[in-house]
Amino acid sequence: MTIAVGDKLPDIKLMKAGESGPEPVQTADYFAGKKVALFSVPGAFTPTCSAKHLPGFVDKAADLKAKGIDEIVCTAVNDAFVMGAWNVASGSSDVTMLADGNAELAKALDLVMDGSGFGMGTRGQRFSMVVNDGVVEKLNVEAPGTFEVSSAEYMLGQL
């Protein structure tokens, strides 16, 4: 069943690019005690993700934080090395990249998509959510092929 507003995020191990390589991150610990703007993209370096989705959260980071967001997190079904490189190329220190390399988070949220027609296999759907102390407060899931409700601008209107 798809995650819903009021649900607790599942406790999943994600990976974060660190100075000495990938570092494990448990969602239960990472999202505890803070208000997080979490957004997911189908893939790092892909067209809409790189041209619109990530840049929107980079550009609106200060505005989101002014509205009570403690941290901005991006996740994708990519490895920590790719997510780290994407952050260097297109992101900022205002956005934390957490790799969902095995699609475990996407599957646990029931927010997967089949990208095999594009040679991408199982991916996470494009979505955003506000997570407060591990609980989903807002959830914005895009219809296939769209980019409307998961943007930083849309989230700002919800805060």
Side-chain angles (χ1 to χ4, degrees), residues 33-57:
K34 56 187 164 187
K35 193 169 192 173
V36 178
L38 170 65
F39 69 103
S40 174
V41 298
F45 294 106
T46 57
T48 300
C49 306
S50 290
K52 296 178 183 175
H53 211 164
L54 177 59
F57 279 91

PDB file of all heavy atoms in Angstrom, residues 33-57:
ATOM      1  N   GLY A  33      13.408  13.810  14.682  1.00  0.00           N
ATOM      2  CA  GLY A  33      13.631  15.091  15.341  1.00  0.00           C
ATOM      3  C   GLY A  33      13.821  16.288  14.440  1.00  0.00           C
ATOM      4  O   GLY A  33      14.280  17.339  14.900  1.00  0.00           O
ATOM      5  N   LYS A  34      13.499  16.170  13.162  1.00  0.00           N
ATOM      6  CA  LYS A  34      13.631  17.330  12.273  1.00  0.00           C
ATOM      7  C   LYS A  34      12.554  17.302  11.205  1.00  0.00           C
ATOM      8  O   LYS A  34      11.924  16.278  10.952  1.00  0.00           O
ATOM      9  CB  LYS A  34      15.023  17.404  11.652  1.00  0.00           C
ATOM     10  CG  LYS A  34      15.466  16.186  10.895  1.00  0.00           C
ATOM     11  CD  LYS A  34      16.940  16.317  10.481  1.00  0.00           C
ATOM     12  CE  LYS A  34      17.502  14.972  10.069  1.00  0.00           C
ATOM     13  NZ  LYS A  34      18.923  15.008   9.828  1.00  0.00           N
ATOM     14  N   LYS A  35      12.355  18.459  10.597  1.00  0.00           N
ATOM     15  CA  LYS A  35      11.373  18.609   9.517  1.00  0.00           C
ATOM     16  C   LYS A  35      12.153  18.640   8.205  1.00  0.00           C
ATOM     17  O   LYS A  35      13.000  19.511   7.991  1.00  0.00           O
ATOM     18  CB  LYS A  35      10.570  19.893   9.708  1.00  0.00           C
ATOM     19  CG  LYS A  35       9.352  19.977   8.840  1.00  0.00           C
ATOM     20  CD  LYS A  35       8.463  21.139   9.278  1.00  0.00           C
ATOM     21  CE  LYS A  35       7.120  21.083   8.621  1.00  0.00           C
ATOM     22  NZ  LYS A  35       6.216  22.101   9.174  1.00  0.00           N
ATOM     23  N   VAL A  36      11.848  17.672   7.334  1.00  0.00           N
ATOM     24  CA  VAL A  36      12.636  17.457   6.123  1.00  0.00           C
ATOM     25  C   VAL A  36      11.762  17.592   4.877  1.00  0.00           C
ATOM     26  O   VAL A  36      10.658  17.046   4.822  1.00  0.00           O
ATOM     27  CB  VAL A  36      13.292  16.057   6.139  1.00  0.00           C
ATOM     28  CG1 VAL A  36      14.086  15.802   4.864  1.00  0.00           C
ATOM     29  CG2 VAL A  36      14.177  15.889   7.369  1.00  0.00           C
ATOM     30  N   ALA A  37      12.272  18.319   3.905  1.00  0.00           N
ATOM     31  CA  ALA A  37      11.686  18.341   2.567  1.00  0.00           C
ATOM     32  C   ALA A  37      12.395  17.243   1.782  1.00  0.00           C
ATOM     33  O   ALA A  37      13.578  17.352   1.479  1.00  0.00           O
ATOM     34  CB  ALA A  37      11.906  19.693   1.901  1.00  0.00           C
ATOM     35  N   LEU A  38      11.688  16.162   1.529  1.00  0.00           N
ATOM     36  CA  LEU A  38      12.243  15.018   0.806  1.00  0.00           C
ATOM     37  C   LEU A  38      11.664  14.999  -0.595  1.00  0.00           C
ATOM     38  O   LEU A  38      10.443  15.111  -0.767  1.00  0.00           O
ATOM     39  CB  LEU A  38      11.878  13.718   1.544  1.00  0.00           C
ATOM     40  CG  LEU A  38      12.167  12.395   0.828  1.00  0.00           C
ATOM     41  CD1 LEU A  38      13.661  12.196   0.643  1.00  0.00           C
ATOM     42  CD2 LEU A  38      11.564  11.238   1.609  1.00  0.00           C
ATOM     43  N   PHE A  39      12.534  14.881  -1.587  1.00  0.00           N
ATOM     44  CA  PHE A  39      12.027  14.714  -2.952  1.00  0.00           C
ATOM     45  C   PHE A  39      12.787  13.598  -3.642  1.00  0.00           C
ATOM     46  O   PHE A  39      13.936  13.325  -3.332  1.00  0.00           O
ATOM     47  CB  PHE A  39      12.054  16.026  -3.754  1.00  0.00           C
ATOM     48  CG  PHE A  39      13.414  16.557  -4.117  1.00  0.00           C
ATOM     49  CD1 PHE A  39      13.919  16.405  -5.407  1.00  0.00           C
ATOM     50  CD2 PHE A  39      14.180  17.241  -3.188  1.00  0.00           C
ATOM     51  CE1 PHE A  39      15.161  16.926  -5.754  1.00  0.00           C
ATOM     52  CE2 PHE A  39      15.423  17.767  -3.524  1.00  0.00           C
ATOM     53  CZ  PHE A  39      15.912  17.605  -4.810  1.00  0.00           C
ATOM     54  N   SER A  40      12.087  12.934  -4.533  1.00  0.00           N
ATOM     55  CA  SER A  40      12.642  11.791  -5.249  1.00  0.00           C
ATOM     56  C   SER A  40      12.554  12.059  -6.739  1.00  0.00           C
ATOM     57  O   SER A  40      11.549  12.576  -7.230  1.00  0.00           O
ATOM     58  CB  SER A  40      11.848  10.529  -4.892  1.00  0.00           C
ATOM     59  OG  SER A  40      12.274   9.434  -5.679  1.00  0.00           O
ATOM     60  N   VAL A  41      13.597  11.658  -7.421  1.00  0.00           N
ATOM     61  CA  VAL A  41      13.647  11.794  -8.874  1.00  0.00           C
ATOM     62  C   VAL A  41      13.906  10.415  -9.485  1.00  0.00           C
ATOM     63  O   VAL A  41      14.506   9.557  -8.844  1.00  0.00           O
ATOM     64  CB  VAL A  41      14.745  12.795  -9.317  1.00  0.00           C
ATOM     65  CG1 VAL A  41      14.469  14.186  -8.768  1.00  0.00           C
ATOM     66  CG2 VAL A  41      16.132  12.330  -8.893  1.00  0.00           C
ATOM     67  N   PRO A  42      13.457  10.194 -10.722  1.00  0.00           N
ATOM     68  CA  PRO A  42      13.710   8.903 -11.358  1.00  0.00           C
ATOM     69  C   PRO A  42      15.199   8.601 -11.562  1.00  0.00           C
ATOM     70  O   PRO A  42      15.596   7.443 -11.552  1.00  0.00           O
ATOM     71  CB  PRO A  42      12.982   9.007 -12.695  1.00  0.00           C
ATOM     72  CG  PRO A  42      11.893   9.997 -12.439  1.00  0.00           C
ATOM     73  CD  PRO A  42      12.502  10.992 -11.489  1.00  0.00           C
ATOM     74  N   GLY A  43      16.016   9.625 -11.730  1.00  0.00           N
ATOM     75  CA  GLY A  43      17.438   9.360 -11.902  1.00  0.00           C
ATOM     76  C   GLY A  43      18.270  10.620 -11.943  1.00  0.00           C
ATOM     77  O   GLY A  43      17.867  11.633 -12.517  1.00  0.00           O
ATOM     78  N   ALA A  44      19.432  10.543 -11.309  1.00  0.00           N
ATOM     79  CA  ALA A  44      20.396  11.642 -11.377  1.00  0.00           C
ATOM     80  C   ALA A  44      20.815  11.856 -12.829  1.00  0.00           C
ATOM     81  O   ALA A  44      20.876  10.904 -13.611  1.00  0.00           O
ATOM     82  CB  ALA A  44      21.622  11.298 -10.532  1.00  0.00           C
ATOM     83  N   PHE A  45      21.080  13.087 -13.177  1.00  0.00           N
ATOM     84  CA  PHE A  45      21.561  13.482 -14.500  1.00  0.00           C
ATOM     85  C   PHE A  45      20.526  13.297 -15.613  1.00  0.00           C
ATOM     86  O   PHE A  45      20.850  13.480 -16.778  1.00  0.00           O
ATOM     87  CB  PHE A  45      22.865  12.760 -14.876  1.00  0.00           C
ATOM     88  CG  PHE A  45      24.037  13.141 -14.025  1.00  0.00           C
ATOM     89  CD1 PHE A  45      24.526  12.263 -13.056  1.00  0.00           C
ATOM     90  CD2 PHE A  45      24.666  14.368 -14.169  1.00  0.00           C
ATOM     91  CE1 PHE A  45      25.618  12.603 -12.267  1.00  0.00           C
ATOM     92  CE2 PHE A  45      25.754  14.715 -13.379  1.00  0.00           C
ATOM     93  CZ  PHE A  45      26.229  13.832 -12.426  1.00  0.00           C
ATOM     94  N   THR A  46      19.292  12.936 -15.288  1.00  0.00           N
ATOM     95  CA  THR A  46      18.271  12.803 -16.323  1.00  0.00           C
ATOM     96  C   THR A  46      17.687  14.190 -16.619  1.00  0.00           C
ATOM     97  O   THR A  46      17.814  15.103 -15.805  1.00  0.00           O
ATOM     98  CB  THR A  46      17.177  11.803 -15.892  1.00  0.00           C
ATOM     99  OG1 THR A  46      16.619  12.233 -14.657  1.00  0.00           O
ATOM    100  CG2 THR A  46      17.750  10.398 -15.750  1.00  0.00           C
ATOM    101  N   PRO A  47      17.080  14.387 -17.785  1.00  0.00           N
ATOM    102  CA  PRO A  47      16.723  15.743 -18.229  1.00  0.00           C
ATOM    103  C   PRO A  47      15.863  16.579 -17.269  1.00  0.00           C
ATOM    104  O   PRO A  47      16.300  17.645 -16.841  1.00  0.00           O
ATOM    105  CB  PRO A  47      15.993  15.495 -19.556  1.00  0.00           C
ATOM    106  CG  PRO A  47      16.563  14.221 -20.062  1.00  0.00           C
ATOM    107  CD  PRO A  47      16.815  13.381 -18.830  1.00  0.00           C
ATOM    108  N   THR A  48      14.667  16.146 -16.938  1.00  0.00           N
ATOM    109  CA  THR A  48      13.803  16.954 -16.073  1.00  0.00           C
ATOM    110  C   THR A  48      14.395  17.070 -14.676  1.00  0.00           C
ATOM    111  O   THR A  48      14.335  18.134 -14.053  1.00  0.00           O
ATOM    112  CB  THR A  48      12.381  16.361 -16.009  1.00  0.00           C
ATOM    113  OG1 THR A  48      11.849  16.337 -17.343  1.00  0.00           O
ATOM    114  CG2 THR A  48      11.467  17.178 -15.119  1.00  0.00           C
ATOM    115  N   CYS A  49      14.988  16.000 -14.204  1.00  0.00           N
ATOM    116  CA  CYS A  49      15.576  15.999 -12.857  1.00  0.00           C
ATOM    117  C   CYS A  49      16.701  17.033 -12.745  1.00  0.00           C
ATOM    118  O   CYS A  49      16.803  17.749 -11.747  1.00  0.00           O
ATOM    119  CB  CYS A  49      16.103  14.606 -12.520  1.00  0.00           C
ATOM    120  SG  CYS A  49      14.874  13.299 -12.719  1.00  0.00           S
ATOM    121  N   SER A  50      17.530  17.113 -13.775  1.00  0.00           N
ATOM    122  CA  SER A  50      18.673  18.028 -13.755  1.00  0.00           C
ATOM    123  C   SER A  50      18.330  19.451 -14.165  1.00  0.00           C
ATOM    124  O   SER A  50      18.951  20.400 -13.694  1.00  0.00           O
ATOM    125  CB  SER A  50      19.783  17.507 -14.684  1.00  0.00           C
ATOM    126  OG  SER A  50      20.368  16.354 -14.137  1.00  0.00           O
ATOM    127  N   ALA A  51      17.345  19.603 -15.046  1.00  0.00           N
ATOM    128  CA  ALA A  51      17.006  20.938 -15.541  1.00  0.00           C
ATOM    129  C   ALA A  51      16.005  21.661 -14.659  1.00  0.00           C
ATOM    130  O   ALA A  51      16.002  22.892 -14.609  1.00  0.00           O
ATOM    131  CB  ALA A  51      16.449  20.840 -16.963  1.00  0.00           C
ATOM    132  N   LYS A  52      15.138  20.896 -13.937  1.00  0.00           N
ATOM    133  CA  LYS A  52      14.073  21.540 -13.189  1.00  0.00           C
ATOM    134  C   LYS A  52      13.982  21.117 -11.728  1.00  0.00           C
ATOM    135  O   LYS A  52      13.918  21.962 -10.838  1.00  0.00           O
ATOM    136  CB  LYS A  52      12.715  21.252 -13.862  1.00  0.00           C
ATOM    137  CG  LYS A  52      12.582  21.825 -15.253  1.00  0.00           C
ATOM    138  CD  LYS A  52      11.246  21.454 -15.867  1.00  0.00           C
ATOM    139  CE  LYS A  52      11.148  21.978 -17.285  1.00  0.00           C
ATOM    140  NZ  LYS A  52       9.923  21.548 -17.934  1.00  0.00           N
ATOM    141  N   HIS A  53      13.931  19.799 -11.480  1.00  0.00           N
ATOM    142  CA  HIS A  53      13.600  19.331 -10.134  1.00  0.00           C
ATOM    143  C   HIS A  53      14.673  19.709  -9.109  1.00  0.00           C
ATOM    144  O   HIS A  53      14.381  20.423  -8.149  1.00  0.00           O
ATOM    145  CB  HIS A  53      13.353  17.828 -10.152  1.00  0.00           C
ATOM    146  CG  HIS A  53      12.358  17.387  -9.121  1.00  0.00           C
ATOM    147  ND1 HIS A  53      11.757  16.168  -9.162  1.00  0.00           N
ATOM    148  CD2 HIS A  53      11.853  17.992  -8.024  1.00  0.00           C
ATOM    149  CE1 HIS A  53      10.927  16.046  -8.145  1.00  0.00           C
ATOM    150  NE2 HIS A  53      10.974  17.144  -7.445  1.00  0.00           N
ATOM    151  N   LEU A  54      15.893  19.234  -9.292  1.00  0.00           N
ATOM    152  CA  LEU A  54      16.977  19.576  -8.361  1.00  0.00           C
ATOM    153  C   LEU A  54      17.238  21.083  -8.322  1.00  0.00           C
ATOM    154  O   LEU A  54      17.308  21.657  -7.226  1.00  0.00           O
ATOM    155  CB  LEU A  54      18.248  18.805  -8.697  1.00  0.00           C
ATOM    156  CG  LEU A  54      19.479  19.139  -7.843  1.00  0.00           C
ATOM    157  CD1 LEU A  54      19.230  18.888  -6.358  1.00  0.00           C
ATOM    158  CD2 LEU A  54      20.682  18.332  -8.335  1.00  0.00           C
ATOM    159  N   PRO A  55      17.349  21.777  -9.467  1.00  0.00           N
ATOM    160  CA  PRO A  55      17.596  23.221  -9.400  1.00  0.00           C
ATOM    161  C   PRO A  55      16.533  23.995  -8.631  1.00  0.00           C
ATOM    162  O   PRO A  55      16.835  24.978  -7.962  1.00  0.00           O
ATOM    163  CB  PRO A  55      17.636  23.648 -10.867  1.00  0.00           C
ATOM    164  CG  PRO A  55      18.052  22.423 -11.608  1.00  0.00           C
ATOM    165  CD  PRO A  55      17.413  21.287 -10.857  1.00  0.00           C
ATOM    166  N   GLY A  56      15.285  23.559  -8.701  1.00  0.00           N
ATOM    167  CA  GLY A  56      14.230  24.233  -7.958  1.00  0.00           C
ATOM    168  C   GLY A  56      14.469  24.171  -6.459  1.00  0.00           C
ATOM    169  O   GLY A  56      14.295  25.176  -5.751  1.00  0.00           O
ATOM    170  N   PHE A  57      14.875  23.008  -5.957  1.00  0.00           N
ATOM    171  CA  PHE A  57      15.145  22.879  -4.523  1.00  0.00           C
ATOM    172  C   PHE A  57      16.428  23.615  -4.125  1.00  0.00           C
ATOM    173  O   PHE A  57      16.513  24.153  -3.021  1.00  0.00           O
ATOM    174  CB  PHE A  57      15.170  21.408  -4.103  1.00  0.00           C
ATOM    175  CG  PHE A  57      13.788  20.853  -3.891  1.00  0.00           C
ATOM    176  CD1 PHE A  57      13.103  20.240  -4.933  1.00  0.00           C
ATOM    177  CD2 PHE A  57      13.153  20.982  -2.671  1.00  0.00           C
ATOM    178  CE1 PHE A  57      11.818  19.747  -4.749  1.00  0.00           C
ATOM    179  CE2 PHE A  57      11.863  20.498  -2.475  1.00  0.00           C
ATOM    180  CZ  PHE A  57      11.190  19.882  -3.517  1.00  0.00           C
TER     181      PHE A  57
END
